[in-house]
Amino acid sequence: MFELAMDRPYPALSRLERVSAIVGQDSTGLPESERAALHFLLSQTYYRLGMLSAFRREADGLVGGGTRYATVLRPQLLVEAYRSGDYARVATLSRTQPANDATGLSALVTGLAAYRSGDLAGARTAFARAGASNGSFAPYAKYMDALAQIRSDTGRASNSVAGLEAIATGATGAFADQV
């Protein structure tokens, strides 16, 4: 915990893996809730270091077991599946996400996966959900919705351009430059 709190993930990972190996050999000494907590810390360290296959292995075990960590791990698994290019898994995982995601991250990632897969109608629906969340990802979701609209119907490019102009008026920094 000290290594994690001090933002030193490599030493933390080394210690967590060693503790996990010891616990794996002696299953009588640790209650299931503490074992789950250990694997959750290990999964978060893998995620932070970008060790996606190791993260997925740990997280799938915790989500499948229905632990209290599932609400944290499901969005991370969604992002991991997108980063790995597994768009079918993104679609499957998105169905397990709660509809009241205040940040809009789940809907945005679902939309991006649909966009990359060529499902522009699905992408636009997901981007609209993410844009309506008014979370930190809403402006980007609106931007991607405009791009999906242009890609799906070039005859209505003026609507998309108007949407991009509306997004640009409220945007700042690098995102404003991109829009």
Side-chain angles (χ1 to χ4, degrees):
M1 290 298 294
F2 175 77
E3 299 291 354
L4 289 173
M6 297 303 294
D7 195 29
R8 295 181 1 192
Y10 292 111
L13 177 61
S14 174
R15 291 176 188 214
L16 284 168
E17 284 181 331
R18 192 169 68 231
V19 169
S20 178
I22 292 168
V23 167
Q25 293 171 357
D26 180 23
S27 61
T28 60
L30 198 59
E32 189 57 39
S33 62
E34 291 180 21
R35 184 182 307 273
L38 171 64
H39 287 284
F40 175 72
L41 289 174
L42 192 54
S43 74
Q44 293 306 286
T45 306
Y46 287 139
Y47 188 76
R48 188 174 199 180
L49 292 171
M51 300 171 69
L52 298 182
S53 60
F55 162 74
R56 184 175 179 177
R57 181 185 64 244
E58 291 292 332
D60 278 341
L62 291 169
V63 169
T67 66
R68 66 182 182 173
Y69 304 108
T71 57
V72 173
L73 294 170
R74 280 190 187 108
Q76 292 176 334
L77 282 166
L78 192 72
V79 171
E80 178 273 329
Y82 178 76
R83 288 172 66 187
S84 299
D86 190 351
Y87 305 132
R89 181 169 162 84
V90 170
T92 301
L93 288 170
S94 69
R95 289 189 281 276
T96 66
Q97 292 298 105
N100 62 350
D101 177 16
T103 65
L105 174 64
S106 298
L108 176 65
V109 172
T110 301
L112 290 171
Y115 183 85
R116 296 288 303 259
S117 298
D119 177 12
L120 299 177
R124 293 208 58 215
T125 301
F127 292 144
R129 272 195 343 266
S133 72
N134 292 323
S136 57
F137 299 104
Y140 185 67
K142 291 174 183 174
Y143 170 74
M144 286 304 302
D145 184 40
L147 293 182
Q149 183 179 10
I150 290 172
R151 185 173 169 198
S152 67
D153 187 1
T154 56
R156 295 189 178 172
S158 61
N159 293 345
S160 299
V161 170
L164 289 171
E165 287 173 345
I167 296 167
T169 59
T172 59
F175 179 67
D177 294 340
Q178 182 176 354
V179 176

